[in-house]
Amino acid sequence: MKKTYLLLASALMLSFSACDTARQTQEAENQTPTTPSATAGPTPSGAVMSKGGLRVYAFDNSQKYPESQLRLNTPVAGGVVEPGPVQFSYSLSNFELTRMTPHSNAEHMANSHQGQHIHNIVDNEPYTAHYETEFTKEIGEGEHVILSFLSRSYHESLKHKGAYDLRKITVGKPTQTLEFDESAPHMFYSRPKGEYVGPQETEKVMLDFYLVNTDLSTTGNKVRATINGTEFVLDRWMPYIMEGLPMGENKIKLELIDNNGNVLPGPFNTVERTFTLKSE
């Protein structure tokens, strides 16, 4: 009889252990990964476009910051400032400058060692990156359009409404007027930019642009990207990865177009840039 009790007790213990193991396994499967190692770089979202030896695809697996807010306090919208070093001052909430964005994308693309930052763009010229909310920047006489937006450490922009600030300012006493309708659709260029060195930076190069007062769709506006002479039509406002780029100088042209392929009116809706890839 004692042997029978012992066998029954052992069977019950094994049963409880098996149930507990199954429960823990199920809980682990249901947990959302929270570490950068949970993913391996930018993952294609949708189709991969292959043409002319290039692969281009959108990705949407970066760290999200839906509550982050950015506001430019000075210079004020429509204000007048003196030419030279113009003082910029921002209000920022729910976003930490200089923090390294916690995602493995930082290990698979060009990544700023100084962390997250603000992109400041004047008249769609190449942006300057800023890691503090106050700085000065040289701006010449004239009417200028200032776009500011928050950026992850690997230079991918935050694209929700509160993450950017757009305004027009006057510097000095210009004799010419800049025609800029702040309510019209606009596109601003962000990345790629400058030099990329080594496999981490050159194998996957991010293409990122900023849209204001518009979005992209299969039946609406789009961005036509011509990369080293090869044309791709982008119908989603997301960051894109370009693979297969050659070492040396590369050229890219971006155009904000309507559904019929016509470039939308606006001073910045067509832009051309060059960037350089180096093996070492």
Side-chain angles (χ1 to χ4, degrees):
M1 182 66 70
K2 183 179 292 186
K3 288 184 177 180
T4 302
Y5 286 136
L6 287 172
L7 288 171
L8 285 171
S10 298
L12 286 170
M13 290 177 67
L14 288 170
S15 175
F16 290 144
S17 177
C19 290
D20 188 58
T21 300
R23 178 182 59 79
Q24 292 181 40
T25 301
Q26 185 63 44
E27 287 178 353
E29 290 175 350
N30 291 337
Q31 286 178 350
T32 301
T34 57
T35 62
S37 59
T39 57
T43 302
S45 176
V48 176
M49 297 173 282
S50 298
K51 193 188 304 183
L54 300 174
R55 283 165 41 92
V56 176
Y57 56 86
F59 68 96
D60 191 30
N61 63 333
S62 292
Q63 178 84 15
K64 301 295 189 292
Y65 297 96
E67 302 303 319
S68 297
Q69 300 285 315
L70 178 72
R71 176 70 179 175
L72 179 58
N73 297 318
T74 57
V76 298
V80 179
V81 297
E82 292 298 315
V86 175
Q87 179 71 38
F88 284 83
S89 176
Y90 294 88
S91 295
L92 177 66
S93 61
N94 300 310
F95 192 79
E96 186 179 348
L97 299 178
T98 73
R99 180 185 188 226
M100 300 304 292
T101 305
H103 197 284
S104 70
N105 285 350
E107 303 167 6
H108 294 267
M109 293 187 286
N111 187 43
S112 172
H113 297 299
Q114 294 176 268
Q116 299 177 155
H117 49 280
I118 298 169
H119 281 204
N120 177 284
I121 298 176
V122 179
D123 300 333
N124 208 27
E125 291 297 313
Y127 71 81
T128 52
H130 300 275
Y131 300 84
E132 297 180 349
T133 56
E134 294 188 1
F135 56 86
T136 59
K137 183 172 179 176
E138 288 285 333
I139 302 181
E141 190 168 66
E143 293 187 336
H144 300 281
V145 175
I146 310 294
L147 173 69
S148 311
F149 57 82
L150 296 173
S151 169
R152 297 170 176 86
S153 63
Y154 43 90
H155 310 288
E156 180 195 340
S157 60
L158 273 62
K159 297 176 174 61
H160 60 273
K161 188 173 182 180
Y164 80 94
D165 185 287
L166 178 69
R167 62 186 58 192
K168 183 178 175 182
I169 66 169
T170 299
V171 179
K173 299 178 180 179
T175 58
Q176 294 183 330
T177 301
L178 173 65
E179 296 297 330
F180 184 78
D181 181 357
E182 293 187 34
S183 64
H186 297 289
M187 176 187 67
F188 296 81
Y189 184 102
S190 183
R191 300 283 291 188
K193 175 179 180 282
E195 287 189 350
Y196 296 73
V197 181
Q200 175 181 328
E201 297 189 358
T202 60
E203 290 180 0
K204 298 179 187 295
V205 177
M206 184 183 66
L207 166 63
D208 202 22
F209 47 86
Y210 217 88
L211 299 178
V212 178
N213 302 322
T214 188
D215 203 349
L216 308 182
S217 70
T218 56
T219 58
N221 293 340
K222 301 171 180 62
V223 168
R224 183 162 55 216
T226 305
I227 306 165
N228 293 333
T230 301
E231 182 181 300
F232 297 86
V233 176
L234 315 177
D235 58 19
R236 290 188 292 173
W237 186 24
M238 297 170 66
Y240 288 79
I241 289 294
M242 301 179 289
E243 297 180 345
L245 294 166
M247 292 296 113
E249 186 177 85
N250 290 264
K251 297 181 179 181
I252 186 166
K253 179 180 181 180
L254 297 182
E255 300 166 286
L256 180 61
I257 60 175
D258 63 21
N259 196 40
N260 296 317
N262 302 309
V263 177
L264 293 173
F268 311 127
N269 289 341
T270 297
V271 58
E272 297 185 57
R273 297 282 166 86
T274 61
F275 58 98
T276 303
L277 306 188
K278 295 182 176 180
S279 57
E280 293 296 340

